[in-house]
Amino acid sequence: ELKVEQNPLFLSMQEGKNYTIYCNYSTTSDRLYWYRQDPGKSLESLFVLLSNGAVKQEGRLMASLDTKARLSTLHITAAVHDLSATYFCAVVKNTGTASKLTFGTGTRLQVTL
Amino acid sequence: EAGVAQSPRYKIIEKRQSVAFWCNPISGHATLYWYQQILGQGPKLLIQFQNNGVVDDSQLPKDRFSAERLKGVDSTLKIQPAKLEDSAVYLCASSLDGTGDNEQFFGPGTRLTVL
């Protein structure tokens, strides 16, 4: 069974600081997503990472994928309050008849002024 | 393009009562998913439909949960009877197909509280 773990589970950081969220998964995967979820809202897709060494950046967020280590990172540069949300990684595993998206536990990010 | 629609947005019931949720996927999306998200956790897949057929329902508690997608478009998820531990947000998602090459788009969710 595919397991996806994130750490930290909760992150409080000051504006302007940098930090990294880690996502480990237990078996080989076909692709990996990062999502953002604001309180009471649904999931917003941020990035999809398809292959080893993939790196994508959007604003202050940068995601990378190391398929050999089964590790993805979401790096936050010079955090701002608007980035406060819960971030999930999710791993796709194709089973032949279907593909399944397995989510991590989530990292709740709080950016303080 | 309209997104995934869900209703109701909120529902409060007492344990042992029944409840049903409705989902309308993005037009043209063949694959529809229902997820359960318990507070503080990531979403967990309950059931996946390809058109009107079930592809994966391995994590659906079939003694109390049922789902259907009769015409391959809208879907309903039912819980009967509800338990306290069913309190969660139920998310519906859709994708063009279920191969994994196409992104899933999520609806706003239905927040269920079982008292």
Side-chain angles (χ1 to χ4, degrees):
Chain A
E1 182 187 341
L2 174 59
K3 293 190 185 302
V4 183
E5 294 183 347
Q6 286 180 238
N7 69 85
L9 297 183
F10 179 75
L11 175 57
S12 180
M13 57 191 297
Q14 288 183 319
E15 277 201 333
K17 299 292 187 182
N18 304 332
Y19 210 83
T20 301
I21 299 170
Y22 297 88
C23 172
N24 289 91
Y25 51 98
S26 60
T27 66
T28 57
S29 168
D30 300 289
R31 58 182 58 195
L32 185 144
Y33 289 88
W34 282 97
Y35 289 91
R36 167 180 173 148
Q37 188 175 42
D38 290 288
K41 305 287 186 182
S42 191
L43 296 160
E44 175 192 353
S45 175
L46 297 173
F47 302 107
V48 54
L49 302 168
L50 303 179
S51 59
N52 188 43
V55 176
K56 289 197 174 178
Q57 183 163 5
E58 179 74 33
R60 301 174 187 272
L61 300 177
M62 183 173 71
S64 66
L65 179 62
D66 181 344
T67 57
K68 293 179 182 177
R70 298 177 187 162
L71 170 69
S72 180
T73 61
L74 181 66
H75 186 73
I76 303 153
T77 301
V80 293
H81 181 69
D82 286 350
L83 290 179
S84 297
T86 299
Y87 293 85
F88 291 96
C89 64
V91 175
V92 175
K93 185 70 176 175
N94 288 324
T95 62
T97 56
S99 69
K100 188 170 180 177
L101 195 59
T102 301
F103 283 82
T105 46
T107 297
R108 187 178 156 209
L109 173 65
Q110 185 177 52
V111 181
T112 57
L113 299 173
Chain B
E1 178 183 272
V4 177
Q6 291 187 247
S7 68
R9 293 295 312 277
Y10 305 92
K11 191 74 177 178
I12 300 173
I13 62 173
E14 294 188 350
K15 59 183 179 183
R16 291 187 291 272
Q17 285 188 322
S18 301
V19 65
F21 312 128
W22 174 83
C23 172
N24 181 241
I26 292 172
S27 178
H29 281 195
T31 310
L32 185 147
Y33 312 79
W34 283 102
Y35 289 86
Q36 180 193 57
Q37 186 177 19
I38 293 171
L39 185 64
Q41 299 182 17
K44 182 185 82 172
L45 179 69
L46 292 176
I47 189 167
Q48 177 181 344
F49 291 95
Q50 181 72 18
N51 297 308
N52 61 350
V54 174
V55 175
D56 183 354
D57 64 356
S58 57
Q59 297 194 87
L60 186 74
K62 297 180 186 65
D63 57 334
R64 297 182 302 106
F65 285 65
S66 65
E68 60 183 13
R69 194 185 183 201
L70 291 175
K71 296 183 179 179
V73 180
D74 294 4
S75 177
T76 56
L77 176 70
K78 296 179 182 177
I79 307 175
Q80 180 180 7
K83 293 185 174 181
L84 296 177
E85 59 261 35
D86 298 333
S87 294
V89 174
Y90 290 85
L91 293 165
C92 180
S94 70
S95 64
L96 276 172
D97 63 35
T99 62
D101 294 336
N102 292 293
E103 182 178 348
Q104 294 183 29
F105 295 88
F106 287 82
T110 296
R111 181 176 298 275
L112 173 67
T113 302
V114 182
L115 302 176

